[in-house]
Amino acid sequence: MNLFTSTIYRATEWITRLAYLNLLWIFFTLTGLLLFGFFPSTLAMYAIVRDWLNGKTDIVIFKNFWNYYKTEFVKSNLLGLFLITIIVLIGLDIYYVQMNDFNWISIPLYAMILLFILFLFYLFPAFTHFDLNLFPLIKNTFFIMLISPLHTLLIIICIGALFIFINVFPGSAFIFGGSLYALITSWLALHAFIHYSKQWLSFNCT
């Protein structure tokens, strides 16, 4: 098998994996009636991607997805409850500011929204990478996000490119939009976690 054929084969293999994982994510989200299925299926998708990035590309996708979905069902929905609460509070704040014409509050409010979005880039990869309870997980994820501006910038660039691609080829969103997003954020967040771990280890050894 020459280099060109090998490259095409590997690319096709990854596209197939991502498409299958994306379909599982959509299916299990709908099975959980959206509200209760979205977060467990999203965490299961990220867990599969983490396994791939760790070299476990030969795992049985459906079996492992289902195991992650069941195992993390309660914890992931508790995380979802926290995120939904934050989103609702942000929505109420935006409504209050607009209704009362408090323009001076809008700058810190939108800064907080930006930080929350950047925090979400790291949250799901961190959930599958660190074995932590929810509060330490949220605290550590936010801290890693703050000390990883380069990784955050790369995530923004890659996600921007992904959205441009999806706008050009809308059908690709259904085929592998979610799984490709998970792959991009997991890959870059994993590098941030490794960098953070080295810094933490160096700090504790000095």
Side-chain angles (χ1 to χ4, degrees), residues 8-45:
I8 294 297
Y9 174 79
R10 288 182 61 83
T12 304
E13 188 178 34
W14 273 102
I15 290 173
T16 304
R17 285 176 184 157
L18 290 170
Y20 182 45
L21 182 60
N22 203 69
L23 288 175
L24 286 178
W25 173 58
I26 294 172
F27 174 77
F28 278 90
T29 297
L30 296 176
T31 301
L33 302 177
L34 294 179
L35 181 61
F36 298 106
F38 175 77
F39 291 100
S41 61
T42 299
L43 267 300
M45 176 174 64

Side-chain angles (χ1 to χ4, degrees), residues 143-144 146-149 151 191-206:
F143 176 72
I144 293 172
L146 290 178
I147 66 171
S148 306
H151 295 89
H191 283 79
F193 299 154
I194 293 172
H195 182 68
Y196 163 75
S197 298
K198 288 180 179 178
Q199 285 188 329
W200 183 86
L201 181 62
S202 175
F203 175 80
N204 282 274
C205 289
T206 56

